[in-house]
Amino acid sequence: MPIVNSHSQAATYRPSPLLPSTPVGRQLQWLGEVSARLPITDAELRSHTSLPSLPLPAGLHVESFRAQPREAERRAFAVVRDAVGDRHHVILRTDAAGRIHSLRFTPVPGSWVELSEQVGRLAPRTSLLAAEIDRTGRVRPIHGVEPSVARPIGAAAVLYVIGALAHAVAQGRMRWDEPLAVRDAWKTDLRSPTGRLPDGTMHSLRRYADDAIFSGDASAIDHLVGRLGRGAVEAQHVRFQHAQIGANLPFLTTREATQLKTHPHVSAEYLATDGPRARLEYLRDVVAHLPRPTEWPDEPRFTDSVEWFASPADVTRAFAGLLAQAEEQPVLGAVLGQQGTASLALDAGRWPVGWSKGGVEPGVVTENFLARTQDGRTFTVSLMVSDPDRPLDVDATRAVLRACAAGAFTLMSA
């Protein structure tokens, strides 16, 4: 089937100087060119993509383009504007032959009302906060929806682990280059980068932190928690002004959380214990002796009870705390900036500093970003959605959250 133009306006193609000569860059350039002369033939469609059809807005013009260094050939993000002036967030992936394998266009909201509505349609429980962190570290909220309501955050809880590590380094008790051996007892997922390593393999704490932030490596997170001690991570909640610290006591390792979620009867016993101290004893006496889980449930389990919790306001304060720590420890900024804001396609020239950490599990998706403008203003966006009864479409949900985050940064910096 030939591609059909989704708008009737005539469009003029303007080649984008932003796009690199990589498979994703060339295909995005082609999409812009095609959008100015729709429809095209089936033969041209098949030469550029493995998709059965490719509905496109007319007159696409690339405003910004980003790709993460580790996957710059095969995946890219962009913000484009069409012939009628609407903005879209684009996620493009190519296959081994360089053809488009997947392509997703998501509207970028142009107002806070649109943004709130887009997020609100994703799940029955949503919270968000867009804020500025001033030069003194004070958080200035700009727009929020239930910003102080704690939600499950999944792997985004590693922000407190990384903060605890930076605190220990600042006190001289640890070093970023300190070696730590891989241990079976601290492995959660044997398919993760750390989980695949033989016991005794030496990695620096910086390497574990890199893997924890970049890929959400659960085993790397647990090695950091194992070295720091659970109490150090709990204390970091206090330093970062988490408003509901009791919700994360005791702070679960990823292995413990997985074990509990895959053994519902054990979770029920754990939740029936009387307070954090009794729960800690139960973790040591019972959960520690359970076998390592080999599969994660496909449906939401205990998202309101066996989890890590924070509100968008909590995460924003954590970012403010990490920002202060990074002023003294530039390596911390490098760790947090590995993913950066590439997934939002924020222009790197205008936004030279970017951090991000999300969390995903059945029924839970959260995306959290910090970005600093060229003139030194720092903004954050924290978006949380959850459904305790049904799994979310992760790719679609993350695409909407990223489009909304891109829109939020544009609105705040206007």
Side-chain angles (χ1 to χ4, degrees), residues 31-89:
L31 289 174
E33 188 267 333
V34 164
S35 72
R37 58 174 175 81
L38 297 174
I40 66 169
T41 65
D42 288 340
E44 184 176 7
L45 175 65
R46 289 193 299 271
S47 70
H48 283 272
T49 175
S50 59
L51 300 175
S53 63
L54 200 65
L56 288 175
L60 296 180
H61 171 70
V62 177
E63 288 190 354
S64 57
F65 171 91
R66 295 286 298 278
Q68 293 159 343
R70 299 192 197 185
E71 51 187 15
E73 297 286 315
R74 300 284 293 273
R75 184 171 75 149
F77 307 89
V79 171
V80 300
R81 191 179 294 273
D82 64 27
V84 298
D86 294 331
R87 301 172 77 221
H88 309 265
H89 178 264

Side-chain angles (χ1 to χ4, degrees), residues 92-135:
L92 185 151
R93 296 175 186 265
T94 57
D95 59 22
R99 298 192 307 164
I100 297 172
H101 173 68
S102 65
L103 180 66
R104 189 183 293 272
F105 283 81
T106 307
V108 174
S111 70
W112 293 118
V113 172
E114 290 178 20
L115 189 152
S116 299
E117 290 176 347
Q118 279 186 236
V119 175
R121 288 193 292 266
L122 292 173
R125 300 179 182 181
T126 63
S127 292
L128 66 91
L129 178 62
E132 181 172 7
I133 301 174
D134 69 20
R135 297 179 188 276

Side-chain angles (χ1 to χ4, degrees), residues 79 87 89 107-112 115 344 346 381 400-413:
V79 171
R87 301 172 77 221
H89 178 264
V108 174
S111 70
W112 293 118
L115 189 152
L344 308 185
L346 293 190
V381 179
V400 172
L401 294 182
R402 288 167 174 174
C404 288
F409 281 113
T410 299
L411 290 167
M412 288 190 289
S413 62

Side-chain angles (χ1 to χ4, degrees), residues 66-218:
R66 295 286 298 278
Q68 293 159 343
R70 299 192 197 185
E71 51 187 15
E73 297 286 315
R74 300 284 293 273
R75 184 171 75 149
F77 307 89
V79 171
V80 300
R81 191 179 294 273
D82 64 27
V84 298
D86 294 331
R87 301 172 77 221
H88 309 265
H89 178 264
V90 179
I91 304 175
L92 185 151
R93 296 175 186 265
T94 57
D95 59 22
R99 298 192 307 164
I100 297 172
H101 173 68
S102 65
L103 180 66
R104 189 183 293 272
F105 283 81
T106 307
V108 174
S111 70
W112 293 118
V113 172
E114 290 178 20
L115 189 152
S116 299
E117 290 176 347
Q118 279 186 236
V119 175
R121 288 193 292 266
L122 292 173
R125 300 179 182 181
T126 63
S127 292
L128 66 91
L129 178 62
E132 181 172 7
I133 301 174
D134 69 20
R135 297 179 188 276
T136 69
R138 183 176 64 89
V139 173
R140 183 175 69 86
I142 296 174
H143 176 74
V145 174
E146 297 192 338
S148 298
V149 175
R151 305 288 187 197
I153 60 171
V158 74
L159 293 175
Y160 295 93
V161 179
I162 298 298
L165 174 58
H167 181 74
V169 170
Q171 289 190 320
R173 295 187 288 108
M174 296 181 195
R175 305 188 319 275
W176 287 102
D177 62 355
E178 176 185 321
L180 178 66
V182 172
R183 303 185 190 182
D184 181 73
W186 293 346
K187 290 181 180 179
T188 306
D189 184 353
L190 297 183
R191 299 165 297 181
S192 70
T194 303
R196 291 195 298 265
L197 295 173
D199 286 6
T201 303
M202 302 301 292
H203 272 336
S204 67
L205 297 183
R206 162 71 187 274
R207 172 65 181 272
Y208 289 113
D210 282 344
D211 287 342
I213 292 294
F214 184 81
S215 63
D217 184 340

Side-chain angles (χ1 to χ4, degrees), residues 130-357:
E132 181 172 7
I133 301 174
D134 69 20
R135 297 179 188 276
T136 69
R138 183 176 64 89
V139 173
R140 183 175 69 86
I142 296 174
H143 176 74
V145 174
E146 297 192 338
S148 298
V149 175
R151 305 288 187 197
I153 60 171
V158 74
L159 293 175
Y160 295 93
V161 179
I162 298 298
L165 174 58
H167 181 74
V169 170
Q171 289 190 320
R173 295 187 288 108
M174 296 181 195
R175 305 188 319 275
W176 287 102
D177 62 355
E178 176 185 321
L180 178 66
V182 172
R183 303 185 190 182
D184 181 73
W186 293 346
K187 290 181 180 179
T188 306
D189 184 353
L190 297 183
R191 299 165 297 181
S192 70
T194 303
R196 291 195 298 265
L197 295 173
D199 286 6
T201 303
M202 302 301 292
H203 272 336
S204 67
L205 297 183
R206 162 71 187 274
R207 172 65 181 272
Y208 289 113
D210 282 344
D211 287 342
I213 292 294
F214 184 81
S215 63
D217 184 340
S219 297
I221 294 172
D222 281 1
H223 277 70
L224 293 176
V225 176
R227 175 65 181 91
L228 288 160
R230 197 189 310 265
V233 182
E234 294 167 350
Q236 196 63 36
H237 283 66
V238 178
R239 285 188 285 270
F240 281 169
Q241 302 177 57
H242 192 292
Q244 301 171 65
I245 298 170
N248 290 339
L249 294 177
F251 186 86
L252 296 171
T253 65
T254 66
R255 180 162 172 164
E256 290 166 344
T258 307
Q259 287 168 318
L260 287 166
K261 287 176 183 287
T262 52
H263 293 83
H265 66 286
V266 177
S267 287
E269 292 180 356
Y270 171 76
L271 295 171
T273 57
D274 187 18
R277 179 170 296 182
R279 289 188 177 185
L280 183 58
E281 292 176 355
Y282 190 87
L283 291 174
R284 292 171 176 170
D285 296 341
V286 178
V287 178
H289 301 289
L290 295 174
R292 180 189 295 107
T294 57
E295 295 183 0
W296 189 272
D298 292 328
E299 72 283 352
R301 289 190 183 177
F302 301 100
T303 57
D304 291 335
S305 52
V306 179
E307 253 294 340
W308 304 275
F309 298 94
S311 68
D314 289 325
V315 170
T316 302
R317 287 189 292 270
F319 271 143
L322 289 163
L323 196 63
Q325 290 177 307
E327 294 294 329
E328 302 297 327
Q329 300 179 58
V331 65
L332 174 60
V335 169
L336 293 169
Q338 292 179 94
Q339 295 274 13
T341 54
S343 66
L344 308 185
L346 293 190
D347 179 75
R350 187 179 179 189
W351 301 89
V353 176
W355 298 351
S356 64
K357 189 70 196 91

Side-chain angles (χ1 to χ4, degrees), residues 14-20 29 61:
R14 292 175 289 166
S16 173
L18 302 174
L19 302 177
Q29 193 82 264
H61 171 70

